[in-house]
DNA sequence: TTGTGTTTTATTGCCTCC
DNA sequence: GGAGGCAATAAAACACAA
């Protein structure tokens, strides 16, 4: 017994046991489908007011208003009495009896109006339903607990739906961000490359002009034939051009490009053919190489464009438009 | 019929309010 | 300190598949 709480009826030897038969069928035709209450109140027969489907003390009912009127009205039965079934019920100690459908409906309607129970309402409901006030209170208490559980389930569903929606939005935004990042990388690399090409072009142009001036100062007969002059000019231009391009690529301050190239295990910085023959030295497939490169500086998930998908028909303008040995397609793979 | 899971009724202990 | 609410729990009643 907690908090000095007093539970009415039930265990008192003076209480009367009242048996309310299960009225689920509400036909009143079943053997026990009638209202019973004990006429005796000695301790030998009603120590726990058993048999009542709605365990209650008759004294409680009568004690509230001194009348059994509402009790009988609520259940629509005027059949009062003892029969053999009563003894059977009294000999089932500790049995719980469920409330009838009518009682539950009545309580439900009352709960819908107000889920808290004031003392007056509790007493009135108890009277109307032929229950102990304590039983009504317990029913409301349990009903509130059920309502709270349902409410929590609903809240959980709402939160879950909200979470799923937010998660989908987040995933979508993340994919878009990755895509845009990859696009930015590709575009900045292309920009870098075009800038280098432009610089190379102007350098070669300067060298070519210098050489022409020098040759023009000397008599042709002293140096060589016209064909030889042309060859020398081409070779010098070519060597300077190649060395300039290689220098630009591997000494560039651009961390992305240089890191990417240098992180490629297929290339050795000391190798003279480093930049242009990487493809030919590779033991790996093109896909594996692409993966190695893209792993080194591209965002995860970025699909590296395949060489065969790239259009080489219109490469960036070469800095040296005579005999520049542009054979390595990988060199152009950054342009679209 | 029986085993098992769910629902309902009731108890207990703790807490808050007046 | 008593009344009442709540959470946790017990236990009976009930539903249902095998």
């Amino acid at each position: 017994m907690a908090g000095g709480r007093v539970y009415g009826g039930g265990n008192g030897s003076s209480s009367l046991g009242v048996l309310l038969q299960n009225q689920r069928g509400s036909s009143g035709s079943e053997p026990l489908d009638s209202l019973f209450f004990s006429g005796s109140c000695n301790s030998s027969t009603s120590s726990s007011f058993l048999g009542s489907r709605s365990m209650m003390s008759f004294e409680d009912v009568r004690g509230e208003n001194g009348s059994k009127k509402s009790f009988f009205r609520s259940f629509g039965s005027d059949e009062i009495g003892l029969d053999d079934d009563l003894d059977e019920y009294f000999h089932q100690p500790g049995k719980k009896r469920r409330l009838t459908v009518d009682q539950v409906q009545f309580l439900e309607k009352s709960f819908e109006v107000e889920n808290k129970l004031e003392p007056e309402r509790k007493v009135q409901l108890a009277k109307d339903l032929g229950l102990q006030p304590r039983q009504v209170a317990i029913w409301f208490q349990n009903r509130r607990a059920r309502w709270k559980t349902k409410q929590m389930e609903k809240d959980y569903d709402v939160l879950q739906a909200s979470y799923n929606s937010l998660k989908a939005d987040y995933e979508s935004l993340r994919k878009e961000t990755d895509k845009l990042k990859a696009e930015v990388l590709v575009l900045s690399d292309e920009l870098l490359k075009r800038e280098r090409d432009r610089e190379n072009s102007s350098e070669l142009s300067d060298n070519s002009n210098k050489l022409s001036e020098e040759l023009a100062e000397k008599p042709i007969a002293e140096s060589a034939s016209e064909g030889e002059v042309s060859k020398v000019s081409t070779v010098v231009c070519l060597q300077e051009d190649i060395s300039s391009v290689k220098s630009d690529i591997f000494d560039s301050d651009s961390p992305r490009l240089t890191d990417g190239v240098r992180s490629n295990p297929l290339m050795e910085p000391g190798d003279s053919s480093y930049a242009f023959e990487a493809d030919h030295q590779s033991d790996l497939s093109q896909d594996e190489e692409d993966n190695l490169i893209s792993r080194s500086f591209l965002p995860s998930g970025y699909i590296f464009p395949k060489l065969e998908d790239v259009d080489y028909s219109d490469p960036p303008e070469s800095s040296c438009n005579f005999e520049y040995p542009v054979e390595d397609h990988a060199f152009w793979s950054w342009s679209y």
Side-chain angles (χ1 to χ4, degrees), chain A residues 37-237:
Chain A
F37 62 92
S38 169
S40 70
C41 58
N42 63 50
S43 59
S44 64
T45 59
S46 60
S47 63
S48 61
F49 67 86
L50 295 172
S52 172
R53 176 172 168 68
S54 56
M55 298 192 295
M56 66 172 295
S57 161
F58 179 72
E59 281 185 347
D60 284 346
V61 173
R62 193 169 50 188
E64 298 292 347
N65 60 3
S67 164
K68 292 175 285 187
K69 188 177 175 182
S70 64
F71 177 75
F72 298 127
R73 185 185 64 233
S74 297
F75 298 97
S77 171
D78 57 1
E79 184 181 346
I80 304 166
L82 291 167
D83 62 13
D84 295 340
D85 295 324
L86 185 61
D87 285 338
E88 189 181 330
Y89 269 77
F90 271 117
H91 287 93
Q92 292 177 323
K95 286 279 183 184
K96 283 182 185 176
R97 295 295 169 186
R98 293 201 170 187
L99 304 183
T100 68
V101 171
D102 291 338
Q103 284 172 317
V104 171
Q105 280 178 352
F106 199 90
L107 288 167
E108 286 286 357
K109 280 179 182 168
S110 183
F111 183 83
E112 283 174 16
V113 174
E114 174 63 59
N115 71 347
K116 286 288 177 69
L117 200 57
E118 311 83 43
E120 296 79 15
R121 196 154 71 103
K122 179 172 69 178
V123 171
Q124 188 57 47
L125 277 171
K127 278 185 199 170
D128 290 344
L129 295 173
L131 299 171
Q132 289 179 347
R134 169 72 186 164
Q135 280 182 288
V136 175
I138 288 170
W139 187 91
F140 266 76
Q141 200 163 299
N142 287 326
R143 186 66 182 79
R144 279 195 295 271
R146 286 197 294 272
W147 178 84
K148 191 177 177 184
T149 303
K150 293 272 183 195
Q151 199 59 36
M152 285 176 75
E153 286 173 0
K154 282 182 186 173
D155 290 348
Y156 175 81
D157 287 344
V158 168
L159 285 172
Q160 177 88 352
S162 175
Y163 168 76
N164 287 339
S165 171
L166 284 172
K167 191 179 174 187
D169 286 349
Y170 167 76
E171 289 297 334
S172 170
L173 287 171
R174 201 176 59 84
K175 279 179 187 171
E176 185 152 356
T177 303
D178 288 347
K179 189 181 163 189
L180 290 172
K181 278 181 184 173
E183 213 169 307
V184 165
L185 279 179
V186 170
L187 290 174
S188 31
D189 284 338
E190 186 179 1
L191 200 64
L192 213 65
K193 188 177 162 302
R194 285 184 180 175
E195 204 171 316
R196 270 201 308 275
D197 288 345
R198 201 172 54 246
E199 286 170 3
N200 292 339
S201 176
S202 63
E203 280 181 21
L204 288 174
S205 177
D206 289 347
N207 290 338
S208 180
N209 289 338
K210 281 180 186 174
L211 193 61
S212 298
E213 287 168 6
E214 286 174 7
L215 289 173
E217 288 172 2
K218 294 180 181 179
I220 292 176
E222 288 180 13
S223 57
S225 66
E226 283 187 21
E228 285 173 328
V229 169
S230 173
K231 280 181 185 174
V232 168
S233 170
T234 302
V235 167
V236 170
C237 172

Side-chain angles (χ1 to χ4, degrees), chain A residues 240-251:
Chain A
E240 288 187 359
D241 187 23
I242 289 171
S243 110
S244 168
V245 168
K246 285 169 72 174
S247 169
D248 278 349
I249 290 175
F250 302 119
D251 292 337

Side-chain angles (χ1 to χ4, degrees), chain A residues 23-35:
Chain A
Q23 295 191 346
R24 281 211 167 75
S26 71
S27 65
S29 60
E30 294 176 29
L32 295 176
D33 194 17
S34 55
L35 184 64

